[in-house]
Amino acid sequence: MTSDLLAPLDLAFWNMESAEHPMHLGALGVFTAHSPTAGAHAADLLAGRAAAVPGLRMRIRDVWPLGFPYAFGGAARVSDPGFDPRRHVLLHAPTADFHTEAGRLMQRPLDRERPPWEAHVLPGEDGTSFAVLFKFHHALADGLRALTLAAAVLDPMDLPARRPRPEEPPKALLPDVRKLPGLVRGAVSDLGRALDIGASVALSSVGVCSSAALTAESSGTRRTAGVVVDLDDVHHVRKARGGTVNDVLIAVVAGALRRWLDERGDGSEGVAPRALIPVSKRRPRTAHPQGNRLSGYLIRLPVFDPDPLARLDTVRTAMDRNKDAGPNRGAGAVALLADHVPALGHRLGGPLAGQGAKLWFDILVTSVPLPSIGLKLGGNPVTEVYPFAPLAHGQSLAVAISTYRGQVHYGLVADAEAVPDLDRLARALGEEVKELLTACGS
């Protein structure tokens, strides 16, 4: 039986979870069905292939290594000898609305006694399509790792051969004494960085003007929605105005929020919610550690501004400023502090940390990488992919974005009671892209 000690941020995600705020990622893939039985066949394929994927056999168990205080109270991924993929791959009755079912399933926490992932197969009522909702606990896999695990149970992809990645030796439980001087210098540097991040967080909360619709009390319910926009349209705006594709996609969120708030009667005047933009710090060619390595940028979305191009310019300026400072400093880098909290601190303080997210940011806007080649399951091609992010305590909305085969997919997760009109917000995203194109002279 193999084991893998959870990285500090993974441990934080594991301990901050509650029944009302499950910390799992999701992705809803919509497939074109070659036959009415394609969904049932897909479920059989997923279960059969999952049995051969080691990463899907890993459950999370507490570890209490006496004599090593830094790991006391920690947890590890441990191979489950009784792993049964049929308890994780579930075939549902046909549905006419994939997103309604996805919302219901996203609000259900994963079973913490088993490997924390699920694949829900949702056949379409018309027999021409089916969907698969993948759920992975954030402690098991970050976005990149979740994509790797999901790809392992889809049809094989024709990828260029890669050289094997070098295995790094497992870290010793105690540091090498020869490295202590460097470790001390690093600790001093880390302390300075922590103070800088703390001060930035304090400043970021000054004069915050969000919306009650984004920070309503949590009900534990979930609703999902999605919208697809043309990547060529996004590139046209980027070329006309400058910046990056990501700048345009974030500005679209700001504009859509403005439309949505005004139309529901809440009003957008003066509203500038703090958006957390996660940044992965994982080294892609490093096999270990496989845990979460996240930082982030924090910006204020210019929802209050009526000019779509001015909103884009504001987002671009804020993102440039964050990139110049780097992902290791600033209010968005709070996640990096998890590395400096002992395991027992994560265990005892996890619930409090989960409730403190609303003091840090108002809305999550994250990008999820996807391969550019077509994905298939049982020969049935994926036509749409909607990523879903966890919803923190005291927050009503999270936005995840993926780009797949020339299209941008926005996946929205919301508290179902606080945001019953999530479909209207999804439509507003598409309308905002059109407004930006018009403003750019298209």
Side-chain angles (χ1 to χ4, degrees), residues 16 274 276 351-363 391-395:
M16 70 172 59
R274 298 163 300 172
L276 177 64
L352 183 61
Q355 296 182 27
K358 60 184 177 181
L359 303 176
W360 176 22
F361 63 97
D362 303 306
I363 181 174
L391 198 57
H393 181 89
Q395 294 170 346

Side-chain angles (χ1 to χ4, degrees), residues 408-422:
V408 177
H409 295 76
Y410 282 91
L412 309 179
V413 175
D415 185 285
E417 292 187 10
V419 188
D421 54 347
L422 187 63

Side-chain angles (χ1 to χ4, degrees), residues 203-216 250-262 266-277 297-305 311 314-315 318-319 321-322 331 357-365 394-399 425:
L203 288 173
S204 72
S205 64
V206 175
V208 169
C209 186
S210 188
S211 168
L214 299 178
T215 57
I250 296 170
V252 167
V253 173
L257 288 173
R258 177 182 175 83
R259 289 170 178 271
W260 176 65
L261 290 173
D262 285 344
D266 292 344
S268 59
E269 183 177 355
V271 174
R274 298 163 300 172
L276 177 64
I277 318 295
Y297 299 139
L298 198 70
I299 70 172
R300 295 198 182 188
L301 296 179
V303 174
F304 61 87
D305 196 326
R311 288 194 295 267
T314 299
V315 168
M319 289 298 290
R321 187 185 308 116
N322 275 291
K358 60 184 177 181
L359 303 176
W360 176 22
F361 63 97
D362 303 306
I363 181 174
L364 179 73
V365 182
Q395 294 170 346
S396 305
L397 176 68
V399 181
L425 176 58

Side-chain angles (χ1 to χ4, degrees), residues 98 119 253 320 349 369 380 386:
F98 295 138
V253 173
D320 286 346
N380 303 286
Y386 300 100

Side-chain angles (χ1 to χ4, degrees), residues 59 71 152 179 187 235 276 312 389 423 429:
R59 61 182 179 178
K179 299 180 179 179
H235 277 300
L276 177 64
L312 175 55
D423 287 343
L429 289 164

